[in-house]
Amino acid sequence: MALTYTPVDDIPQIVQELRATFKSGLTKPLNYRREQLKGLFNLLDENEELFRESTFKDLHKPPAETLLGEILTVKQECHEAIKNLEKWAAKQPIKTGLVNKMDGVHIRKDPLGMVLIIGAWNYPTNLLLAPAVGAIAAGNTVVLKPSEVSSHTAALITRLLPKYLDSRSYRIINGAATETTVLLEHKFDHIFYTGSGNIGKIIMGAAAKQLTPVTLELGGKSPAFISKEVDLTIAARRIAFGKYFNCGQTCIAPDYVIIERGSEDELITQINAAILEFYTAAPQTSDSYGRIVNKNHFHRLKSILDKTQGKVVTGGDTQEDDLYIAPTVVLGVKPEDSLMEAELFGPILPIMVVDSIDEGIDYVNDHDQPLALYVFSKSSKVTDHILDNTRSGGVLVNDTLTHFLVPGLPFGGTGPSGIGNYHGQRSFDVFSHERSTLVKSLGMEKVNDLKYPPYTEKKISWAAWALFDKAKYSANAANPGANGSDSKL
Ligand code: NAD
């Protein structure tokens, strides 16, 4: 299915229509939002086979990986949003003091308006539609911009979306840099972008011109610490799963391993056993093993692998016309190695051997904060030491990838690995404005007299008493018992 780019001249009209729809209030009633979420759920539910085919064409993605990593996860997000919509959208009451006892004090969850979601190619359904769940649930109109790199899935979603969702409120714009650049000239109320940090800077720059808030879901080199007391068979299986799922093209794939000296040979033996079990001795013929998305990325990875000073102990074979890179492990990788320069985003696992966990912590802290940080350890002392002394978007102890699947856990990066997070209720909140609301009672005018001029000592003293708790806000409260007496306001 060829992907037709949206003519740039059509973009202003589409944006205007969505803006007008939002203004009309169509997307605000909860019933409307719920119906649209059900539509999105059905879109995925009724076309599972088509999605498996399209992602196979785009990425040679094994059908099971499409099901787990794309379809079921977004359906779960839809389900959570439908089930909890009323609760998430409800006014949130705020506890007040004496002075507001007769008033209404709450936070409204208002839709932001018209929002833009820009997806990435590696999970072309999930990364476009999972944020859309939050945007729809929160009552916005939405422009969806799929990644043109996974063109078959982009074309499929473009064809299906108008059949399941209201085109007055949700539209797709297809294209590459040119179309996206034109799109970004328009004013949105929020931009949600998933992709590389380099393009993230362009997106944020364009958003800054309009003071549009952004969520940036970026990448980075996510380390996996392996402590020597852990069961290496289990650690190896779980790392191999996370590294070779979608052929390593996962933003939270364990990018490299940090292991204490002495355990590395056993780890490699166990990773080899896991690769053999998961993908057979000939992974190229395995139905469970994917491919690199295109020639550019294939050559990028091959060139990094060719330059490594480490020892390729597993895999290493490549075939350009099949975009195949074998599940690969490289031992003895030093900090200055080609494999350690940037996020790998492919099925190559460098193993860095350290003399102590602290050496690994220092290495991680000398580099950009990663999107995920993995720890394999039986010891909570070791785990806490690593977590207390590092930073990362998220953490998963004794497994890889699966923290992404927990709807209650906000997913996102920190620093260069991203801004903001989503999933579950956080997705709803990202696309909502928390509007602080105070509804004053029209009674009690005598109490209000205290704030009106002419000011007198007495009035001010009563107003201070009503507004602030003297004990809490006295100078001595910050240093209780300093001189044993209450100070005056
Ligand atoms: P990509 O090439 O699909 O680009 C992302 C989006 O940016 C696409 O929709 C593309 O059309 C658009 N784009 C490209 N050039 C542009 C330009 N000049 N101006 C405006 N828009 C432009 O994806 P990618 O960037 O190769 O994605 C891979 C990266 O994304 C990796 O670093 C990965 O870690 C990260 N990623 C992060 C997450 C996450 O959830 N944090 C998920 C997936 C991927």
Side-chain angles (χ1 to χ4, degrees), residues 117-123 127-128 145-150 175-181 184 192-200 202-203 216-220 249-252 297 343 345 371 404 411-413 417-418 422-423:
I117 296 173
I118 302 178
W121 53 263
N122 57 333
Y123 291 85
L127 301 175
L128 190 72
K145 176 22 208 113
S147 173
E148 74 286 7
V149 177
S150 282
T178 306
E179 290 74 13
T180 316
T181 304
L184 288 168
F192 189 108
Y193 163 84
T194 303
S196 68
N198 284 339
I199 305 297
I202 296 175
I203 304 289
L216 302 178
E217 295 288 334
L218 312 175
Q249 300 161 117
T250 302
C251 56
I252 45 171
H297 281 280
E343 178 185 3
F345 225 50
L371 184 55
F404 184 87
F411 176 79
S417 55
Y422 71 127
H423 284 182

